[in-house]
């Protein structure tokens, strides 16, 4: 339990969440649902693009999750880059895609708050704890 205390509950939870997200990205090429695919620069990928980018980003997220879990210094710049990536990707996706029927306002607000809030909170906590990173 010494690792948990040095990392804290929030970073432990975030590391687990990013690990689960990595698994999700690894599995995207195996989905037969046309609505499931890795979103890159606002575009939902299919076929070869999905088969390459999903696992590639899965690997990046797995490394990021490890960096948070092990309190490694490289996790901090990754946190900044990933947070910026999420914001850009969400904005581009909302500009390029207009689903019918449109999602409810509460769903949109919740998805945006979680989608941006978790990476941003991780970056903020890692920034505040940068002296603890090895």
């Amino acid at each position: 339990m010494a690792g948990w205390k040095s990392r804290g509950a929030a970073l432990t939870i975030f590391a687990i969440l990013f690990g689960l997200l990595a698994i999700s990205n690894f599995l995207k090429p195996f989905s037969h649902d046309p609505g499931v695919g890795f979103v890159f620069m606002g575009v939902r990928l299919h076929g070869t693009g999905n088969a390459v980018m999903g696992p590639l980003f899965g690997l990046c997220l797995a490394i990021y999750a490890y960096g948070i879990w092990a309190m490694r210094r490289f996790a901090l710049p990754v946190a900044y880059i990933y947070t910026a990536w999420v914001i850009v990707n969400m904005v581009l996706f909302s500009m390029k895609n207009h689903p019918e029927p449109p999602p409810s306002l509460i769903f949109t607000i919740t998805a945006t708050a979680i989608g941006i809030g978790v990476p941003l909170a991780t970056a903020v906590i890692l920034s505040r704890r940068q002296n603890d990173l090895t």
Side-chain angles (χ1 to χ4, degrees), residues 18 21-30 38-40 45 47-65 78 82 85:
F18 285 118
L21 187 58
I23 292 169
S24 170
N25 283 339
F26 283 126
L27 296 176
K28 286 191 191 264
F30 303 107
F38 186 76
V39 176
F40 181 75
L45 300 177
T48 305
N50 188 41
V52 171
M53 295 305 286
L56 182 63
F57 270 76
L59 178 63
C60 292
L61 283 171
I63 292 168
Y64 179 38
V78 173
Y82 185 70
W85 163 256

Side-chain angles (χ1 to χ4, degrees), residues 14 18 21 64 79-80 82-92 94 107-124:
F14 292 152
F18 285 118
L21 187 58
Y64 179 38
Y80 296 143
Y82 185 70
T83 301
W85 163 256
V86 166
I87 293 169
V88 168
N89 212 26
M90 288 181 84
V91 168
L92 289 174
S94 67
F107 174 81
T108 302
I109 291 170
T110 303
T112 303
I114 293 170
I116 294 173
V118 170
L120 183 59
T122 306
V124 168

